[in-house]
Amino acid sequence: MNAGDRVRVDRADQSYEGVLLPSTTGEHLVVKLDGGYNVGVDRSEADVEVLESDVYDVESAQAESDRSTIEFDDELPTVSLISTGGTIASTVDYRTGAVTAQFDAEDVLRAVPDLAGRANYRGRVVANILSENMTPEVWGDLAEAIHEEIEAGADGVVVMHGTDTMQFTAAAMAFMLDTPVPVVFTGSQRSADRPSSDNVMNAVSAVEAAKSECAEVLICMHAGESDDRCALHRGVRARKNHTSRRDAFETVGAKPLGVVDYDVDGETDVSFRREHRERDGVDLDIDPDLDTDVELLKFTPSTDPAFLDALEGKSGVVLEGTGLGHVHTDWIPRIEELVDDGTTVVMTSQCLEGRVCDRVYDTGRDLLEAGIVEGEDTLPGTAKVKLMWALANTESVAEAMGTSLVGEINERSVPWT
């Protein structure tokens, strides 16, 4: 039995059928199932039957991948690829068949040969973590790395990031950095070993966006179910709205800022719908300090106001209220105590669209009297990141939270569909 054979693996009361993959350990078998997923099986516990030999030439495919090279061309722009981990930079753990974040930036270039000829690349690894393990400390390291790459002459930056917390990291970079070049986040919902992987199109589209004239922090992911277009979302207005679809990300309150049209031959066209900061429109600068003593709390009916006791002494709290920005009236006295003790309390809405307005109903007016700060239509997650940054970098936190600094607040909330 060899890698590339079609096999049936029986273990206890379970049976798996698919193509045998190469394994880095002699103790485990890895089988790619017909549905695209991988399963790892302890060899000592399995009975294996070869159904068909050499249905897939694994060795030739691997050799072809290893031959991919990136050559320097004086006429091409330079794009820095920064890896933080995630599915787009993932491989198979041959003990379990699960996907783990193990590739560095150079591996991404070898894995996506379509990137060749589009730019000169510099690879850099800031972290090698799954995005649920992202921390503000890594945000600081990433901001410093992006700053250094641009300072060293990069014409654009692409950040490879897991999708689950990508919107938070993109928002952090938008507040921390004044960037004269595009900084484009991308990832993939499905790993490279799956037939439906979105890694190639997302990576290629992100590089093309990094070469564009839009000098903002963007998120580049599939715009729909087909492999023909990626959406470019402003990092501070994006939200992951689906757990597994390739077009999981949406711009809340508007259409995406731009799109990258992509065809099967790799031809691309980048265009933008709305006003944006132009390349070289600002001087490169960095303000990476954060006050991380900030929490985000969502209110729902019957939520015990005692939860607010745990927030005592915090620098800041973002509340995700109902509708126009409301909580139960029993919460208001405790909120006022927090404010009086020096905690900045920002109100956002759990509605996907529309802005906070606490001057319409009695509850809202009482909240304003208690000292809450209206977050306008800032997304709750973005508001948390912004509050961390504002507490560390601004003289008037309340004024900063009510002002659109990098496009996080829409001028007015209107239906966009």
Side-chain angles (χ1 to χ4, degrees), residues 92-116:
V92 179
D93 183 336
Y94 289 111
R95 296 167 302 150
T96 64
V99 173
T100 60
Q102 293 183 350
F103 283 173
D104 62 20
E106 293 298 328
D107 291 314
V108 174
L109 294 180
R110 287 192 294 271
V112 188
D114 297 47
L115 291 174

mmCIF file of all heavy atoms in Angstrom, residues 92-116:
data_model
loop_
_atom_site.group_PDB
_atom_site.id
_atom_site.type_symbol
_atom_site.label_atom_id
_atom_site.label_comp_id
_atom_site.label_asym_id
_atom_site.label_seq_id
_atom_site.Cartn_x
_atom_site.Cartn_y
_atom_site.Cartn_z
ATOM 1 N N VAL A 92 -1.756 19.502 7.175
ATOM 2 C CA VAL A 92 -2.432 18.401 7.842
ATOM 3 C C VAL A 92 -1.556 17.849 8.962
ATOM 4 O O VAL A 92 -0.366 17.603 8.781
ATOM 5 C CB VAL A 92 -2.745 17.275 6.836
ATOM 6 C CG1 VAL A 92 -3.423 16.107 7.530
ATOM 7 C CG2 VAL A 92 -3.610 17.807 5.707
ATOM 8 N N ASP A 93 -2.155 17.668 10.134
ATOM 9 C CA ASP A 93 -1.499 16.958 11.225
ATOM 10 C C ASP A 93 -1.698 15.463 10.970
ATOM 11 O O ASP A 93 -2.809 14.955 11.088
ATOM 12 C CB ASP A 93 -2.128 17.361 12.562
ATOM 13 C CG ASP A 93 -1.436 16.708 13.746
ATOM 14 O OD1 ASP A 93 -0.811 15.644 13.557
ATOM 15 O OD2 ASP A 93 -1.532 17.253 14.858
ATOM 16 N N TYR A 94 -0.634 14.755 10.617
ATOM 17 C CA TYR A 94 -0.772 13.366 10.190
ATOM 18 C C TYR A 94 -1.034 12.394 11.341
ATOM 19 O O TYR A 94 -1.257 11.220 11.129
ATOM 20 C CB TYR A 94 0.473 12.949 9.406
ATOM 21 C CG TYR A 94 0.528 13.617 8.065
ATOM 22 C CD1 TYR A 94 1.483 14.578 7.792
ATOM 23 C CD2 TYR A 94 -0.409 13.318 7.083
ATOM 24 C CE1 TYR A 94 1.520 15.206 6.565
ATOM 25 C CE2 TYR A 94 -0.373 13.942 5.856
ATOM 26 C CZ TYR A 94 0.593 14.885 5.600
ATOM 27 O OH TYR A 94 0.618 15.513 4.388
ATOM 28 N N ARG A 95 -1.038 12.875 12.577
ATOM 29 C CA ARG A 95 -1.463 12.022 13.676
ATOM 30 C C ARG A 95 -2.977 11.907 13.721
ATOM 31 O O ARG A 95 -3.529 10.896 14.131
ATOM 32 C CB ARG A 95 -0.963 12.587 15.009
ATOM 33 C CG ARG A 95 0.563 12.612 15.158
ATOM 34 C CD ARG A 95 0.938 13.476 16.336
ATOM 35 N NE ARG A 95 0.416 14.824 16.172
ATOM 36 C CZ ARG A 95 0.067 15.620 17.176
ATOM 37 N NH1 ARG A 95 0.133 15.175 18.413
ATOM 38 N NH2 ARG A 95 -0.357 16.846 16.945
ATOM 39 N N THR A 96 -3.675 13.007 13.350
ATOM 40 C CA THR A 96 -5.126 13.067 13.522
ATOM 41 C C THR A 96 -5.889 13.324 12.239
ATOM 42 O O THR A 96 -7.103 13.141 12.193
ATOM 43 C CB THR A 96 -5.477 14.200 14.499
ATOM 44 O OG1 THR A 96 -5.082 15.449 13.915
ATOM 45 C CG2 THR A 96 -4.760 14.017 15.832
ATOM 46 N N GLY A 97 -5.220 13.805 11.194
ATOM 47 C CA GLY A 97 -5.914 14.201 9.978
ATOM 48 C C GLY A 97 -6.493 15.591 10.075
ATOM 49 O O GLY A 97 -7.111 16.090 9.142
ATOM 50 N N ALA A 98 -6.301 16.259 11.205
ATOM 51 C CA ALA A 98 -6.834 17.607 11.389
ATOM 52 C C ALA A 98 -5.903 18.638 10.770
ATOM 53 O O ALA A 98 -4.725 18.378 10.512
ATOM 54 C CB ALA A 98 -7.009 17.904 12.877
ATOM 55 N N VAL A 99 -6.449 19.829 10.530
ATOM 56 C CA VAL A 99 -5.662 20.923 9.965
ATOM 57 C C VAL A 99 -5.016 21.716 11.087
ATOM 58 O O VAL A 99 -5.658 22.078 12.071
ATOM 59 C CB VAL A 99 -6.562 21.844 9.127
ATOM 60 C CG1 VAL A 99 -5.803 23.075 8.663
ATOM 61 C CG2 VAL A 99 -7.094 21.075 7.920
ATOM 62 N N THR A 100 -3.716 21.983 10.980
ATOM 63 C CA THR A 100 -3.014 22.786 11.974
ATOM 64 C C THR A 100 -2.232 23.880 11.272
ATOM 65 O O THR A 100 -1.822 23.738 10.125
ATOM 66 C CB THR A 100 -2.022 21.933 12.799
ATOM 67 O OG1 THR A 100 -1.061 21.357 11.914
ATOM 68 C CG2 THR A 100 -2.744 20.819 13.541
ATOM 69 N N ALA A 101 -2.022 24.992 11.982
ATOM 70 C CA ALA A 101 -1.282 26.118 11.419
ATOM 71 C C ALA A 101 0.207 25.859 11.585
ATOM 72 O O ALA A 101 0.736 25.928 12.679
ATOM 73 C CB ALA A 101 -1.676 27.416 12.129
ATOM 74 N N GLN A 102 0.895 25.537 10.477
ATOM 75 C CA GLN A 102 2.314 25.183 10.558
ATOM 76 C C GLN A 102 3.165 25.871 9.499
ATOM 77 O O GLN A 102 4.369 25.907 9.618
ATOM 78 C CB GLN A 102 2.482 23.658 10.426
ATOM 79 C CG GLN A 102 1.907 22.883 11.608
ATOM 80 C CD GLN A 102 2.160 21.399 11.481
ATOM 81 O OE1 GLN A 102 2.598 20.918 10.448
ATOM 82 N NE2 GLN A 102 1.869 20.661 12.536
ATOM 83 N N PHE A 103 2.581 26.375 8.445
ATOM 84 C CA PHE A 103 3.373 26.968 7.366
ATOM 85 C C PHE A 103 3.913 28.337 7.779
ATOM 86 O O PHE A 103 3.258 29.085 8.484
ATOM 87 C CB PHE A 103 2.517 27.182 6.129
ATOM 88 C CG PHE A 103 2.256 25.935 5.336
ATOM 89 C CD1 PHE A 103 1.377 25.970 4.273
ATOM 90 C CD2 PHE A 103 2.879 24.733 5.624
ATOM 91 C CE1 PHE A 103 1.123 24.835 3.520
ATOM 92 C CE2 PHE A 103 2.629 23.604 4.895
ATOM 93 C CZ PHE A 103 1.743 23.649 3.840
ATOM 94 N N ASP A 104 5.113 28.679 7.297
ATOM 95 C CA ASP A 104 5.564 30.063 7.386
ATOM 96 C C ASP A 104 5.266 30.732 6.041
ATOM 97 O O ASP A 104 4.686 30.128 5.136
ATOM 98 C CB ASP A 104 7.053 30.146 7.761
ATOM 99 C CG ASP A 104 7.968 29.502 6.726
ATOM 100 O OD1 ASP A 104 7.537 29.322 5.565
ATOM 101 O OD2 ASP A 104 9.114 29.181 7.072
ATOM 102 N N ALA A 105 5.636 31.994 5.912
ATOM 103 C CA ALA A 105 5.265 32.748 4.721
ATOM 104 C C ALA A 105 5.870 32.156 3.449
ATOM 105 O O ALA A 105 5.247 32.179 2.391
ATOM 106 C CB ALA A 105 5.698 34.208 4.889
ATOM 107 N N GLU A 106 7.085 31.612 3.541
ATOM 108 C CA GLU A 106 7.698 31.006 2.355
ATOM 109 C C GLU A 106 6.906 29.794 1.894
ATOM 110 O O GLU A 106 6.780 29.528 0.696
ATOM 111 C CB GLU A 106 9.148 30.618 2.667
ATOM 112 C CG GLU A 106 10.062 31.813 2.921
ATOM 113 C CD GLU A 106 10.171 32.727 1.717
ATOM 114 O OE1 GLU A 106 10.098 32.229 0.570
ATOM 115 O OE2 GLU A 106 10.323 33.942 1.913
ATOM 116 N N ASP A 107 6.360 29.053 2.836
ATOM 117 C CA ASP A 107 5.541 27.901 2.469
ATOM 118 C C ASP A 107 4.288 28.346 1.722
ATOM 119 O O ASP A 107 3.808 27.653 0.818
ATOM 120 C CB ASP A 107 5.134 27.117 3.716
ATOM 121 C CG ASP A 107 6.318 26.423 4.367
ATOM 122 O OD1 ASP A 107 7.102 25.800 3.644
ATOM 123 O OD2 ASP A 107 6.449 26.525 5.592
ATOM 124 N N VAL A 108 3.729 29.492 2.106
ATOM 125 C CA VAL A 108 2.549 30.004 1.417
ATOM 126 C C VAL A 108 2.883 30.286 -0.044
ATOM 127 O O VAL A 108 2.105 29.974 -0.949
ATOM 128 C CB VAL A 108 2.016 31.281 2.105
ATOM 129 C CG1 VAL A 108 0.878 31.904 1.298
ATOM 130 C CG2 VAL A 108 1.541 30.957 3.511
ATOM 131 N N LEU A 109 4.058 30.833 -0.313
ATOM 132 C CA LEU A 109 4.459 31.113 -1.688
ATOM 133 C C LEU A 109 4.588 29.818 -2.490
ATOM 134 O O LEU A 109 4.177 29.753 -3.654
ATOM 135 C CB LEU A 109 5.796 31.861 -1.707
ATOM 136 C CG LEU A 109 5.786 33.273 -1.110
ATOM 137 C CD1 LEU A 109 7.179 33.874 -1.215
ATOM 138 C CD2 LEU A 109 4.778 34.154 -1.800
ATOM 139 N N ARG A 110 5.137 28.798 -1.860
ATOM 140 C CA ARG A 110 5.262 27.518 -2.570
ATOM 141 C C ARG A 110 3.899 26.872 -2.780
ATOM 142 O O ARG A 110 3.666 26.201 -3.782
ATOM 143 C CB ARG A 110 6.182 26.572 -1.785
ATOM 144 C CG ARG A 110 7.653 26.943 -1.849
ATOM 145 C CD ARG A 110 8.516 25.809 -1.315
ATOM 146 N NE ARG A 110 8.293 25.590 0.102
ATOM 147 C CZ ARG A 110 8.979 26.217 1.053
ATOM 148 N NH1 ARG A 110 9.900 27.113 0.728
ATOM 149 N NH2 ARG A 110 8.743 25.963 2.330
ATOM 150 N N ALA A 111 3.002 27.079 -1.821
ATOM 151 C CA ALA A 111 1.683 26.458 -1.909
ATOM 152 C C ALA A 111 0.776 27.150 -2.913
ATOM 153 O O ALA A 111 -0.184 26.553 -3.394
ATOM 154 C CB ALA A 111 1.025 26.454 -0.531
ATOM 155 N N VAL A 112 1.070 28.423 -3.229
ATOM 156 C CA VAL A 112 0.231 29.186 -4.162
ATOM 157 C C VAL A 112 1.112 29.689 -5.302
ATOM 158 O O VAL A 112 1.499 30.866 -5.341
ATOM 159 C CB VAL A 112 -0.480 30.365 -3.459
ATOM 160 C CG1 VAL A 112 -1.484 31.025 -4.389
ATOM 161 C CG2 VAL A 112 -1.167 29.905 -2.185
ATOM 162 N N PRO A 113 1.467 28.826 -6.247
ATOM 163 C CA PRO A 113 2.350 29.242 -7.348
ATOM 164 C C PRO A 113 1.751 30.336 -8.213
ATOM 165 O O PRO A 113 2.491 31.027 -8.917
ATOM 166 C CB PRO A 113 2.558 27.938 -8.140
ATOM 167 C CG PRO A 113 1.431 27.046 -7.748
ATOM 168 C CD PRO A 113 1.112 27.387 -6.334
ATOM 169 N N ASP A 114 0.418 30.532 -8.153
ATOM 170 C CA ASP A 114 -0.220 31.602 -8.917
ATOM 171 C C ASP A 114 0.249 32.986 -8.486
ATOM 172 O O ASP A 114 0.039 33.978 -9.195
ATOM 173 C CB ASP A 114 -1.742 31.536 -8.752
ATOM 174 C CG ASP A 114 -2.339 30.258 -9.303
ATOM 175 O OD1 ASP A 114 -1.783 29.186 -8.997
ATOM 176 O OD2 ASP A 114 -3.352 30.325 -10.004
ATOM 177 N N LEU A 115 0.899 33.074 -7.326
ATOM 178 C CA LEU A 115 1.419 34.372 -6.873
ATOM 179 C C LEU A 115 2.644 34.804 -7.685
ATOM 180 O O LEU A 115 2.967 35.997 -7.743
ATOM 181 C CB LEU A 115 1.797 34.297 -5.390
ATOM 182 C CG LEU A 115 0.653 34.150 -4.394
ATOM 183 C CD1 LEU A 115 1.204 33.951 -2.988
ATOM 184 C CD2 LEU A 115 -0.257 35.363 -4.443
ATOM 185 N N ALA A 116 3.324 33.848 -8.304
ATOM 186 C CA ALA A 116 4.541 34.163 -9.051
ATOM 187 C C ALA A 116 4.244 35.127 -10.183
ATOM 188 O O ALA A 116 3.233 35.016 -10.876
ATOM 189 C CB ALA A 116 5.163 32.880 -9.599
#
